[in-house]
Amino acid sequence: MAAKILDGKAIAQKVRDEVREGVARFAAAHGRPPGLDVLLVSGDPASVTHTRNKERMSNEVGMRGRLRALPAETTEAELLAFIAELNADETVDGILVQLPLPSHIREHRALGAVDPAKDVDGLHPVNAGLLALGRPGALAPCTPVGCMRLLAEAGVQIAGARAVVVGRSNLVGRPIAELLLAQHATVSIAHSRTRDLQAICREADILVAAAGKPKLIGGDCIKEGAAVIDVGQTRNEAGKLAGDVDFDAASARAAWITPVPGGVGPMTIASLLENTLRAAEARVAAR
Ligand code: GUN
């Protein structure tokens, strides 16, 4: 079987077009566009690029997107005070604290300081808790939301499917397992201590690879006809992105597969924009 490609670039474009329409409706109804503030506390080149893209793409769909770059020596107390200001600003609907933070700032303090109603990254304990409780409507992390959209666009049956998630990060592995469970998949989470990873992966109708280890998932890990979502984005010395999945070998067995680049990657920002519009709508509805 030659797998069909799940084209994240095209699907992300479709999501952004939907968001653009929603943003125009919101602005017409409320006299202002949804506002997204992206906080960056470091000069890490990859984070600078990611946050600039978030700012640019939010403005492209008609939002008021702002990159708030703070100096690397910003203290934890200063960052918390800045987040408190944004929490109190009625024109700010979404707040994203770009990770990783410098080591002198505790990540859980920064993420926990964001108003859960503005937590468009879905990383506040309240939103992570709602997701774990299976409560619909919680703001969920952007990459997992994007992965679910890819599966939906492919028409992959989730209820009753065996899903295996490789990786247990708060940003991807755990939340995507919750989202798959909420749609009635039978979900296993594998990780670096899992024994016989290959055998577990081979049971998966839906395989999500989010370990950050190039070529961890070979062709012998793939069930015939599986949907394979590769979240891995490791940059090699030449600057080329590598996924966790051996694409050529996996394509020979899977029914659907995401390429790297051009699969999950473009979905993350598209889902951030979607979350920001949802947060804006929920905030005005709650007034
Ligand atoms: N750093 C890399 N990916 C992400 C993300 O999705 N959200 C945040 N806040 N930081 C990141």
Side-chain angles (χ1 to χ4, degrees):
M1 181 183 293
K4 288 191 276 270
I5 303 291
L6 262 166
D7 183 349
K9 255 174 141 168
I11 297 169
Q13 180 66 55
K14 182 172 168 185
V15 172
R16 286 196 301 274
D17 290 344
E18 290 166 7
V19 172
R20 189 177 292 108
E21 284 177 23
V23 165
R25 272 195 305 274
F26 182 94
H30 306 291
R32 67 167 183 88
L36 170 65
D37 276 26
V38 177
L39 269 59
L40 174 65
V41 195
S42 86
D44 167 47
S47 293
V48 170
T49 306
H50 290 318
T51 51
R52 281 195 187 136
N53 285 339
K54 288 169 184 173
E55 180 187 47
R56 176 175 55 78
M57 290 181 139
S58 56
N59 284 295
E60 275 172 14
V61 295
M63 292 180 180
R64 197 270 298 119
R66 286 188 302 206
L67 170 56
R68 315 299 293 264
L70 305 174
E73 58 275 12
T74 302
T75 65
E76 184 178 284
E78 286 167 342
L79 176 61
L80 298 187
F82 191 59
I83 293 171
E85 271 177 42
L86 300 183
N87 285 342
D89 184 338
E90 275 309 309
T91 68
V92 175
D93 299 290
I95 302 169
L96 180 143
V97 180
Q98 185 69 19
L99 303 175
L101 287 164
S103 57
H104 66 275
I105 298 178
R106 289 166 290 180
E107 188 177 296
H108 75 275
R109 291 296 302 275
L111 297 177
V114 175
D115 177 349
K118 299 187 178 189
D119 171 37
V120 287
D121 234 358
L123 296 176
H124 189 285
V126 164
N127 287 317
L130 289 171
L131 192 61
L133 291 172
R135 289 262 292 274
L139 286 164
C142 305
T143 300
V145 168
C147 293
M148 296 304 288
R149 178 67 184 258
L150 290 174
L151 291 170
E153 290 284 331
V156 172
Q157 166 82 27
I158 296 176
R162 278 295 308 260
V164 173
V165 178
V166 184
R168 52 177 159 174
S169 70
N170 292 337
L171 215 47
V172 183
R174 286 171 202 261
I176 196 161
E178 296 290 358
L179 289 169
L180 287 161
L181 186 60
Q183 291 195 28
H184 317 292
T186 301
V187 184
S188 304
I189 304 180
H191 47 77
S192 53
R193 306 269 182 99
T194 295
R195 275 179 298 199
D196 205 355
L197 178 67
Q198 195 187 56
I200 290 173
C201 290
R202 243 193 336 254
E203 290 181 6
D205 303 306
I206 298 168
L207 179 62
V208 181
K213 292 209 171 73
K215 299 232 168 149
L216 175 69
I217 308 295
D220 49 4
C221 292
I222 309 294
K223 180 179 178 176
E224 199 73 37
V228 178
I229 305 291
D230 189 352
V231 186
Q233 299 212 57
T234 309
R235 215 169 267 285
N236 68 15
E237 309 82 56
K240 212 168 159 260
L241 282 184
D244 288 355
V245 176
D246 180 338
F247 181 84
D248 292 336
S251 297
R253 298 174 65 89
W256 290 98
I257 191 165
T258 59
V260 177
V264 173
M267 296 302 293
T268 298
I269 297 185
S271 301
L272 169 66
L273 305 178
E274 209 176 23
N275 273 357
T276 303
L277 176 59
R278 277 188 52 209
E281 286 169 342
R283 289 185 61 250
V284 297
R287 273 211 300 260

